[in-house]
Amino acid sequence: MTAIWARTTAGLAVCALRAQLKRWYMGLLLMALYMAAHANPVLVLSSRTGGAYDEVIEGIRLEVARSADLRVQYLSGPWRTLESASLIVAVGVDAASAALQTADPGIPILCVLIPRSAYDSLVASRRDNRKVSALYLDTPVHRQIELIRLLLPQVRSAGAVLGSVSQRDKEAIKSIARERGLNFITEQATRDSELYVALRTVLADTEVFVAIPDPVVMNAATAQNVLITAFRTQVPVIGYTASYVKAGALAAVFSTPMQIGHETGLIIKSHLRTASLPPPKYPRFFSVGVNASVMKTLGLPPADEQALAQRLSRAE
Amino acid sequence: MTDMVRERSLIPRNLPWAFVYLGILYARSLHAQTEDVAFLSEQDYFREIPQVFATSRLPQLPQDSSGANTVLDRAYIQSSGARNISELFIGVPGFQVGLSAGGRPVVAYHGFSGQVSQRMQVFVDGRSLYAPYLFGGVDWTSVTVPLHEIERIEIHRGSNSAAYGANAFLGVIHIYTRAAIQASGVALDIQQGQNGVSDKSVRWGSAKNGLQWRAVALQKQDQGLLGRADDSAANSLDVRADYQISSSKSLTLLSGASHGYYGIGNPGSVADPARKEQKQTAFAHLQYKQLVEDGQEWSVSASWTQDTGHDTYRIPLLSGDSLDMINNRKANRYTLEYQHYKAMKGALRASWGAAIHQDAVVAHELFSTTESQKNTAWRIYYNQEWRPLQNWTLNAGGLIEKDQFTPVQFAPRFSLNWKPVPDHVIKIGHSSAFRTPSLFEQRSDWRVRDENGDTLYIKYLSRGGLVPERIKATDLVYQGHLRPARLAVDARIFREELSRLITGELYPVQGGNGNAGVAYDLRNSESATHDGVEYQISWKPLSGSTLSWSDYTATTVSTKNALQKSTPRRSYGLVLTHKTNNGLSLYGAYARTRPMTWLGEATQAEQQTIFTASIQKTVRHEQAILRYSLTWRQPFGKLVEFRELQYLPQTLWLGLNIER
């Protein structure tokens, strides 16, 4: 009886001790995380306030609220790079440029809300060994092409006007299109004055036009004219931003600032765990926008944007 | 002949200034060209792009529109090798095309037309070409838009005053020019060939941010028909500027001017000597569009058109004196229009609007006064498309119009479309339309006077009180695509009841004597019924090839023989277009129209057979696109044209177009 009582008592003591150790362990872990987070905060440096920038920051906050000490600074206000920061998240091209120029080389930088061409230009000019990566703002072309396949399965030819920057992806784009059964026609324009000759040539021979961003020939300044020209020649356009859809493109695939923020938060958390950044990449989360009026004009049935995004996601 | 030489020499004198002006503009545009930027900013991805598209701006889908429609697209227009817009209608079912004289084309749908296209409305970018002088009608020489700048031509085969007001009587043609953005850069076009064919044009355009413009200077001439002294030469300048004020507001300016000499009269004739009529046109058209939201838009447009004609000559008298014939005129038209389009809730889309326009004509010879003859009219309209079910569309609408001389007119229209299976639609429709009498028809006082101003005889003396001509049109339309067979069919069975038609009648003039004792007047005294069928079958046997057969057969019964004879019993045609992947384009058109007598003509136009072939090759050289063309009209010989003793000659011309 005594032996049984002793074993029971000992057992209870061990359990209590284990529970206590577990609590201590959890507490220590939380403390370590808290210490790590607060001792080495994550600096979010934004090019501007408001709009897409604040949406990205809000997305980050929602994702990492409990696991990182976020310090938000804006280029427009008084700002300084924190020497103690474990990571700098630069939101926008100007913030990325400022961070790369002024931050301690030991602090890794994650550039978000940045076009790939801008990131490549900024990083190409640097020779330090800083850890730097990016979550591009661009949509990978394969998503646009896959969207054509889903929306317009009968289409056999697509085309694009490429500028001196987007031209480097020409063969990759053609290869992606070929894999999906599309003949992809491209014309090059190196100056904005050459855009419309190239555009006319492409539109004459293609059933759908794909807008691929380029600093000179395919950007917000030329978008309206591209849409007018395509609209007049009755060639639907697949864009790369939500604005394209609103303005008259048939559809677009793009990542919203909130989605960029959410994915940035995941990268921050991963960085806090592993102290490493993934290589520069296109966003994993994206949306599809469809212009119902254009669909109707083309005699196409109404499309479910969410379902299209899910199908695209599954296709990857 | 001396006059002719002098007049011709004016042409090259004017054109260089246009080149200089365009050169300056181009130099400026080059100067203003921005430097390349290094890379995109994230703001490029979030910046609002001005909307270029809204439901309301869309043309209806063919299966939802009312009546029969034909669209001539840019590719067709280019491949045809045509020099004049009128030539493009040769292959359209129900159309009659002719040249009353060199440089004076006539286009009619279902006949009932004289030397001007009287009973049809034509718009260029929304501006009516219907001229308010003489008998009223469309003067195709007043079109300043070169063929290269036309984006598409939409033809509504049937009456449609409910949407477009007076004079959309038997049909409506819409000519849409390319947006200025599509004509950026520089282009040069030269056509040179037999019978004095010599056309040259130069275009300059620029697209910078929100402002785009293009200007085309055109010089055109030929020797006209055989058997007439009707060579013609004209210069024109056509400008379009598009300005995007903001994402939802845009402004378009269309403007142009032309000046030409057109041979008329007969060599050796005393009463109607060979001479040159001088015609000038100028216009300006400003459109403001405001997009309220996706599916809703309103616009305001104001336009001014001026047509001027100068034709003076002398008839020598036996007494040694001479009669001065002064057939000069100046006509102005001012229009202000408001339009609103809205996609309503559910399956309803509607458009409504109001317009006011004023015609003012000064023509001493026609009205025996130097005072301006004026007529002001207003109209309001409402049209809607309702799709209660997937397979059914109901179009309904109406227009109310009133001018100073005639009572209020109401023009209703409805059409019920049934789409039993995809790609096939059957439409049944009814509309009532009207043609407003012109100022000449209402108030003519056209006399020939001696040197003392006394009346020798009266040509026309109006007693006034005319009311608009009316038409009731009922049609059954089938449009279908047989995709496996690559066939498209467009057929229209119609019955058109025309009433109160205005024709001339001789009457005794009260108080007149001798030759001044009788005069012609124009009265609403005739009617006609026009029944028939027309169809077009298009077959695409190969990729890039289209073969279209058009046929029109009709019977006209009228109280007046001239009206009955003004429509051919049958016309048909075959058009082949073929485009290869290596830039070669072939076009062949054959059209035959059975005998008819154009209104106002003493002689019948015999069976007309037109054949045109064109071959074109497009090549790209660095940043330039070059197109060579060879067009042959009437390769099998001359043809009697419009009236007896005048012939459309066999003509071959070469073309070169360079665009950069």
Side-chain angles (χ1 to χ4, degrees):
Chain A
M1 186 68 188
T2 308
I4 292 166
W5 170 250
R7 279 203 299 273
T8 307
T9 308
L12 285 171
V14 168
C15 284
L17 186 60
R18 276 184 187 161
Q20 187 59 39
L21 282 172
K22 199 172 180 180
R23 278 197 291 273
W24 285 349
Y25 174 76
M26 289 300 290
L28 282 170
L29 189 66
L30 284 172
M31 191 180 291
L33 279 172
Y34 180 84
M35 297 273 290
H38 287 264
N40 297 300
V42 172
L43 171 63
V44 177
L45 183 61
S46 176
S47 298
R48 286 173 176 77
T49 57
Y53 304 93
D54 283 354
E55 282 183 47
V56 171
I57 294 164
E58 182 61 20
I60 297 172
R61 275 190 209 283
L62 287 172
E63 188 56 42
V64 301
R66 292 179 184 172
S67 48
D69 173 18
L70 286 183
R71 308 278 177 88
V72 179
Q73 293 189 1
Y74 295 95
L75 281 187
S76 54
W79 67 277
R80 60 186 178 84
T81 53
L82 297 175
E83 289 176 8
S84 57
S86 61
L87 174 69
I88 295 174
V89 176
V91 184
V93 176
D94 290 347
S97 177
L100 285 165
Q101 285 174 28
T102 59
D104 187 306
I107 305 174
I109 297 173
L110 174 66
C111 305
V112 300
L113 207 71
I114 188 169
R116 194 186 116 192
S117 59
Y119 175 78
D120 289 350
S121 296
L122 289 176
V123 172
S125 59
R126 300 203 64 82
R127 298 192 181 279
D128 54 26
N129 293 322
R130 180 200 298 277
K131 280 187 199 167
V132 60
S133 187
L135 180 62
Y136 301 137
L137 178 54
D138 312 57
T139 291
V141 178
H142 71 80
R143 269 183 207 150
Q144 289 176 291
I145 291 173
E146 188 62 26
L147 183 59
I148 294 171
R149 211 179 58 80
L150 294 179
L151 272 177
L152 306 165
Q154 76 286 3
V155 160
R156 291 288 168 266
S157 66
V161 174
L162 303 177
S164 46
V165 172
S166 52
Q167 179 73 11
R168 63 187 176 187
D169 296 326
K170 180 179 163 183
E171 290 311 316
I173 295 167
K174 287 196 166 198
S175 169
I176 290 165
R178 207 178 304 118
E179 286 167 14
R180 288 162 176 81
L182 280 178
N183 178 30
F184 205 90
I185 296 159
T186 60
E187 282 288 325
Q188 191 178 357
T190 50
R191 291 180 299 159
D192 54 358
S193 59
E194 294 169 4
L195 170 63
Y196 301 102
V197 173
L199 195 56
R200 279 195 293 265
T201 309
V202 171
L203 291 174
D205 295 323
T206 53
E207 296 167 87
V208 59
F209 183 82
V210 182
I212 296 172
D214 183 86
V216 177
V217 297
M218 204 59 63
N219 50 53
T222 60
Q224 186 206 4
N225 294 338
V226 168
L227 285 168
I228 289 174
T229 311
F231 175 60
R232 292 274 180 150
T233 43
Q234 298 181 338
V235 174
V237 174
I238 301 294
Y240 55 88
T241 67
S243 322
Y244 261 93
V245 179
K246 194 180 167 200
L250 171 68
V253 54
F254 51 86
S255 297
T256 64
M258 193 59 92
Q259 286 170 326
I260 298 265
H262 172 50
E263 194 165 346
T264 305
L266 293 176
I267 297 172
I268 292 170
K269 287 206 290 195
S270 167
H271 179 262
L272 290 176
R273 279 198 308 273
T274 62
S276 67
L277 287 174
K281 62 174 188 173
Y282 291 106
R284 183 154 55 98
F285 305 117
F286 57 86
S287 300
V288 169
V290 174
N291 188 316
S293 304
V294 183
M295 292 286 284
K296 192 178 164 191
T297 311
L298 295 174
L300 297 170
D304 182 337
E305 295 172 339
Q306 283 191 351
L308 279 168
Q310 283 168 5
R311 288 176 68 187
L312 279 180
S313 197
R314 278 200 298 272
E316 293 181 4
Chain B
M1 189 63 197
T2 314
D3 285 348
M4 211 171 90
V5 171
R6 192 178 64 240
E7 286 156 3
R8 283 276 173 84
S9 70
L10 285 171
I11 292 159
R13 207 181 296 163
N14 292 335
L15 199 59
W17 286 109
F19 283 94
V20 169
Y21 173 67
L22 291 172
I24 292 167
L25 290 176
Y26 183 64
R28 284 183 181 174
S29 76
L30 282 180
H31 181 71
Q33 199 160 340
T34 52
E35 292 298 318
D36 294 351
V37 292
F39 46 70
L40 285 168
S41 142
E42 70 278 8
Q43 300 212 16
D44 276 294
Y45 289 67
F46 297 106
R47 195 177 296 161
E48 197 172 6
I49 303 168
Q51 294 194 26
V52 297
F53 178 91
T55 311
S56 54
R57 285 189 200 177
L58 288 179
Q60 286 178 293
L61 291 172
Q63 64 261 35
D64 290 324
S65 67
S66 63
N69 297 286
T70 302
V71 177
L72 306 178
D73 62 15
R74 187 169 164 73
Y76 177 85
I77 294 166
Q78 283 199 332
S79 69
S80 71
R83 291 178 57 230
N84 299 298
I85 294 174
S86 60
E87 294 163 26
L88 299 170
F89 301 104
I90 285 170
V92 181
F95 270 75
Q96 294 82 45
V97 177
L99 267 179
S100 69
R104 296 167 189 265
V106 186
V107 177
Y109 178 64
H110 290 184
F112 299 102
S113 178
Q115 291 184 31
V116 287
S117 309
Q118 256 183 309
R119 294 182 171 91
M120 191 174 63
Q121 181 61 278
V122 179
F123 295 97
V124 177
D125 292 318
R127 182 179 61 92
S128 169
L129 290 186
Y130 203 88
Y133 48 83
L134 215 58
F135 296 97
V138 175
D139 181 357
W140 290 90
T141 61
S142 67
V143 181
T144 59
V145 179
L147 282 169
H148 326 104
E149 296 310 316
I150 296 176
E151 176 60 32
R152 69 184 188 283
I153 298 175
E154 291 179 2
I155 303 153
H156 181 87
R157 306 198 323 267
S159 308
N160 202 351
S161 283
Y164 303 109
N167 311 322
F169 195 69
L170 285 161
V172 185
I173 294 174
H174 290 276
I175 298 168
Y176 294 102
T177 60
R178 293 198 290 177
I181 181 69
Q182 293 174 282
S184 58
V186 61
L188 183 73
D189 188 84
I190 299 169
Q191 311 274 332
Q192 202 78 27
Q194 294 175 308
N195 297 307
V197 168
S198 180
D199 304 343
K200 301 171 192 75
S201 76
V202 61
R203 187 196 77 214
W204 233 285
S206 171
K208 279 290 156 196
N209 302 322
L211 177 67
Q212 304 107 34
W213 62 267
R214 66 110 177 99
V216 188
L218 171 70
Q219 188 182 86
K220 195 169 177 176
Q221 64 185 56
D222 63 47
Q223 289 170 351
L225 301 173
L226 298 177
R228 289 200 60 143
D230 61 349
D231 50 336
S232 61
N235 292 329
S236 62
L237 182 68
D238 191 86
V239 177
R240 174 172 176 148
D242 299 312
Y243 178 56
Q244 194 74 36
I245 301 164
S246 70
S247 63
S248 58
K249 298 170 187 168
S250 66
L251 201 61
T252 297
L253 172 70
L254 301 137
S255 130
S258 71
H259 181 247
Y261 295 94
Y262 300 85
I264 54 172
N266 299 300
S269 168
V270 175
D272 186 19
R275 61 195 186 277
K276 297 279 180 193
E277 183 188 9
Q278 207 182 131
K279 286 166 53 166
Q280 289 173 318
T281 296
F283 75 92
H285 183 193
L286 194 63
Q287 294 173 324
Y288 172 80
K289 282 186 182 173
Q290 166 94 55
L291 188 73
V292 181
E293 61 193 20
D294 188 26
Q296 187 176 185
E297 176 195 287
W298 60 265
S299 65
V300 176
S301 66
S303 68
W304 159 75
T305 306
Q306 184 180 78
D307 290 309
T308 310
H310 297 278
D311 175 28
T312 59
Y313 59 99
R314 285 184 165 181
I315 300 176
L317 299 175
L318 292 173
S319 61
D321 292 330
S322 60
L323 286 178
D324 287 328
M325 307 299 287
I326 304 169
N327 298 329
N328 295 343
R329 62 172 187 275
K330 182 185 273 188
N332 282 289
R333 167 168 281 209
Y334 307 91
T335 304
L336 184 66
E337 182 161 20
Y338 171 81
Q339 288 185 70
H340 201 120
Y341 302 90
K342 190 173 184 184
M344 308 289 200
K345 283 183 181 173
L348 190 68
R349 294 201 305 163
S351 72
W352 61 91
I356 183 165
H357 70 257
Q358 186 184 63
D359 294 333
V361 181
V362 178
H364 179 264
E365 203 71 10
L366 303 180
F367 301 102
S368 291
T369 172
T370 51
E371 280 182 23
S372 177
Q373 305 297 307
K374 290 180 181 170
N375 189 9
T376 304
W378 58 261
R379 64 170 173 257
I380 53 172
Y381 59 87
Y382 176 84
N383 287 278
Q384 70 172 45
E385 173 201 285
W386 183 44
R387 292 207 295 176
L389 295 167
Q390 187 72 20
N391 297 343
W392 293 89
T393 304
L394 174 69
N395 286 289
L399 173 140
I400 296 170
E401 183 163 330
K402 169 88 177 77
D403 69 25
Q404 277 177 253
F405 296 97
T406 60
V408 173
Q409 299 296 307
F410 176 58
R413 181 191 65 157
F414 81 87
S415 157
L416 187 63
N417 299 8
W418 177 45
K419 294 157 272 183
V421 286
D423 290 339
H424 298 269
V425 59
I426 295 167
K427 309 174 183 180
I428 184 158
H430 179 80
S431 65
S432 175
F434 59 96
R435 181 182 84 85
T436 302
S438 69
L439 278 163
F440 176 81
E441 287 171 320
Q442 289 284 20
R443 309 187 85 164
S444 62
D445 185 354
W446 188 358
R447 298 159 187 254
V448 176
R449 300 167 196 271
D450 65 16
E451 64 275 27
N452 301 318
D454 295 328
T455 302
L456 290 174
Y457 69 93
I458 304 173
K459 281 187 174 177
Y460 284 93
L461 182 61
S462 173
R463 288 168 287 180
L466 291 177
V467 292
E469 295 179 342
R470 298 289 314 200
I471 183 172
K472 285 181 192 169
T474 305
D475 57 16
L476 182 68
V477 173
Y478 164 74
Q479 288 170 328
H481 270 94
L482 303 163
R483 293 196 188 273
R486 298 180 169 205
L487 275 178
V489 180
D490 171 356
R492 180 182 184 227
I493 301 170
F494 55 86
R495 181 179 181 84
E496 292 163 337
E497 295 171 79
L498 298 83
S499 59
R500 308 197 311 215
L501 292 174
I502 298 169
T503 56
E505 68 177 32
L506 209 57
Y507 76 102
V509 177
Q510 212 169 14
N513 50 42
N515 288 335
V518 289
Y520 266 103
D521 187 15
L522 295 153
R523 310 305 308 159
N524 290 104
S525 52
E526 306 297 341
S527 59
T529 305
H530 188 59
D531 297 306
V533 59
E534 66 194 33
Y535 65 89
Q536 183 171 56
I537 299 172
S538 297
W539 180 42
K540 296 193 173 186
L542 303 166
S543 171
S545 294
T546 306
L547 195 61
S548 294
W549 170 262
S550 304
D551 205 329
Y552 154 84
T553 308
T555 308
T556 307
V557 178
S558 173
T559 47
K560 184 155 184 160
N561 198 31
L563 290 169
Q564 198 160 305
K565 286 185 170 179
S566 73
T567 59
R569 288 188 63 83
R570 191 177 176 209
S571 64
Y572 52 89
L574 187 69
V575 177
L576 165 73
T577 56
H578 179 70
K579 192 178 171 191
T580 65
N581 289 332
N582 61 0
L584 191 68
S585 159
L586 302 170
Y587 171 90
Y590 164 84
R592 175 166 282 188
T593 305
R594 289 279 163 81
M596 61 181 283
T597 307
W598 295 86
L599 289 177
E601 296 302 318
T603 61
Q604 178 177 267
E606 294 303 329
Q607 178 161 276
Q608 185 194 48
T609 307
I610 295 176
F611 187 82
T612 305
S614 186
I615 180 166
Q616 302 183 11
K617 172 77 179 169
T618 304
V619 292
R620 183 147 188 204
H621 180 68
E622 294 182 350
Q623 290 301 317
I625 297 172
L626 281 80
R627 193 170 66 247
Y628 309 93
S629 64
L630 174 70
T631 306
W632 202 4
R633 190 181 63 194
Q634 297 307 105
F636 307 119
K638 65 183 184 182
L639 151 93
V640 175
E641 178 68 23
F642 203 81
R643 60 175 79 88
E644 66 176 12
L645 301 176
Q646 60 178 40
Y647 307 91
L648 190 66
Q650 187 185 72
T651 309
L652 181 77
W653 65 88
L654 288 163
L656 172 64
N657 182 285
I658 305 168
E659 196 169 352
R660 191 178 189 285

